[in-house]
């Protein structure tokens, strides 16, 4: 991918731990090609079945490649990561994993969908009876080491990054991460071919791919949380045909989000013939949860947007 350095996927780790030795040291301004493993840690593949999902070991999920030592990075600085390019693999998976997801009580059964897509043309990936999901590769998990010693789960996001699942961490975006330890110790993984805002069933199109990044350093910024900036519109791969949208309204933002998603699942199932579980998984890879109103107490409004282009 024309970068200064390459890190291969065998250089991965599970969880954040500032005692892990870096696999690479870079100067600010240098570029790195990073090979990643899918979020199953290689336990799933293009031929996997529901039985393979049932045998999934959660001790080996969400591997991240790295860490990368950034020369000159000290606590209080900011590491800026610019996403330059993605080399997709052409396959991915989406699953409903019992006990995981926004509507886990409504969907207790396991389900697995294996996606196949053109890694060069990157045309929309097919799902079920007529679903066509536009692709937008991005990095789901990216972060720096915590100052707190010991091993920390990669699953929850933190102030130094981690499992952010921000679908706009894609080509053209720069992500800024606060440094807590010398060298920053940057790692990334959990790449996705597409995801909706919220990743409501807990998985996107989980797809291994190579990522080209540029690493820069801002001294002494004391950033409290990650921030990012994009180079243009963030939903341009979906917007042309408009959206269907449902809402949830109430005193509890989480329940309002659940109600908004449930409404869309019902709407899609009613109008397409998809099962509710299929609709739920499809919503996870291409629908967007938004807080539409959070000031008119005591009730808040959450909306769920589903792009019409997916089912046209």
């Amino acid at each position: 991918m024309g970068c200064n350095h390459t890190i291969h996927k065998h250089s991965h780790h599970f969880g954040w731990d500032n005692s892990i030795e870096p696999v690479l040291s870079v100067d600010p301004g240098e570029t790195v090609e990073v090979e990643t493993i899918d979020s199953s840690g290689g336990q799933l593949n293009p031929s996997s079945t529901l039985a393979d999902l049932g045998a999934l070991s959660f001790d080996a999920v969400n591997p991240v490649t790295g860490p990368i030592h950034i020369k000159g990075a000290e606590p209080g600085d900011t590491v800026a990561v610019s996403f330059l390019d993605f080399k997709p693999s052409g396959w991915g998976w989406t699953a409903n994993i019992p006990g995981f997801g926004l509507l886990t009580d409504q969907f207790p059964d396991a389900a697995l969908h294996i996606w196949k897509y053109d890694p060069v043309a990157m045309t929309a990936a097919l799902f079920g009876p007529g679903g066509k999901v536009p692709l937008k590769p991005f990095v789901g998990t990216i972060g720096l080491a915590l100052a707190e010693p010991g091993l920390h789960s990669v699953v929850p996001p933190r102030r130094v990054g981690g499992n952010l699942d921000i679908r706009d961490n894609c080509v053209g975006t720069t992500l800024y991460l606060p440094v807590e330890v010398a060298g920053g110790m940057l790692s990334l993984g959990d790449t996705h071919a597409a995801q909706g805002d919220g990743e409501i069933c807990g998985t996107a199109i989980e797809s291994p791919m190579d990522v080209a990044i540029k690493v820069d350093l801002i001294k002494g910024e004391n950033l409290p949380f990650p921030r990012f900036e994009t180079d243009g519109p963030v939903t341009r791969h979906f917007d042309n045909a408009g959206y269907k949208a449902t809402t949830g309204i109430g005193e509890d933002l989480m329940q309002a989000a659940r109600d908004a998603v449930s409404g869309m699942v019902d709407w899609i199932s009613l109008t397409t013939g998809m099962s509710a579980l299929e609709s739920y998984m499809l919503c996870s890879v291409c629908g967007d949860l938004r807080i539409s109103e959070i000031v008119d107490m005591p009730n808040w409004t959450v909306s769920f947007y589903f792009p019409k282009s997916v089912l046209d």
Side-chain angles (χ1 to χ4, degrees), residues 24 57 94 99 172 177 179 188 192 194-195 203 211 216 224 249 276 281:
L24 179 68
S57 169
T94 300
L177 299 168
V179 175
L188 65 88
H192 298 160
Q195 181 203 287
T203 58
V211 186
D216 285 300
I249 299 172
M281 293 168 67

Side-chain angles (χ1 to χ4, degrees), residues 7-113:
I7 305 178
H8 298 289
K9 60 186 178 182
H10 64 265
S11 297
H12 65 268
H13 58 97
F14 299 92
W16 308 109
D17 188 334
N18 61 32
S19 69
I20 298 175
E21 290 295 321
V23 298
L24 179 68
S25 184
V26 302
D27 288 307
E30 289 192 306
T31 57
V32 185
E33 178 180 350
V34 183
E35 294 181 353
T36 73
I37 308 173
D38 75 284
S39 63
S40 78
Q43 297 178 81
L44 299 178
N45 59 60
S47 302
S48 290
T49 66
L50 195 58
D52 298 311
L53 182 67
L56 199 68
S57 169
F58 285 88
D59 292 333
V61 301
N62 270 24
V64 286
T65 304
I68 301 169
H69 173 275
I70 297 94
K71 296 176 184 177
E74 298 290 344
D77 295 342
T78 298
V79 168
V81 182
S82 298
F83 300 101
L84 304 178
D85 198 9
F86 288 79
K87 186 187 295 181
S89 61
W91 78 277
W93 60 272
T94 300
N96 187 58
I97 300 172
F100 186 52
L102 182 64
L103 302 182
T104 182
D105 56 328
Q106 297 181 35
F107 298 103
D109 297 327
L112 176 68
H113 178 76

Side-chain angles (χ1 to χ4, degrees), residues 131-267:
K132 306 180 297 296
V133 177
L135 303 178
K136 182 179 180 178
F138 74 96
V139 173
T141 300
I142 180 169
L144 305 179
L146 288 78
E148 183 181 353
L151 183 66
H152 303 272
S153 170
V154 79
V155 174
R158 308 171 191 275
R159 72 172 295 268
V160 289
N163 193 18
L164 299 171
D165 285 325
I166 298 172
R167 73 156 187 217
D168 297 314
N169 280 331
C170 58
V171 169
T173 292
T174 298
L175 173 68
Y176 302 90
L177 299 168
V179 175
E180 289 190 356
V181 300
M185 310 302 284
L186 173 70
S187 301
L188 65 88
D190 185 31
T191 45
H192 298 160
Q195 181 203 287
D197 284 336
E199 197 187 24
I200 58 169
C201 85
T203 58
I205 299 183
E206 310 291 327
S207 182
M209 58 187 75
D210 300 345
V211 186
I213 60 172
K214 179 183 177 186
V215 180
D216 285 300
L217 183 64
I218 302 170
K219 297 295 292 182
E221 192 175 36
N222 291 302
L223 192 67
F225 291 101
R227 68 179 187 225
F228 62 96
E229 56 182 303
T230 75
D231 67 346
V234 297
T235 56
R236 54 191 166 199
H237 61 310
F238 280 136
D239 281 347
N240 290 342
Y243 293 84
K244 297 176 180 287
T246 49
T247 66
I249 299 172
E251 296 178 323
D252 186 306
L253 272 176
M254 182 62 75
Q255 186 58 48
R258 288 167 51 85
D259 291 341
V261 171
S262 293
M264 185 58 70
V265 168
D266 291 345
W267 193 357

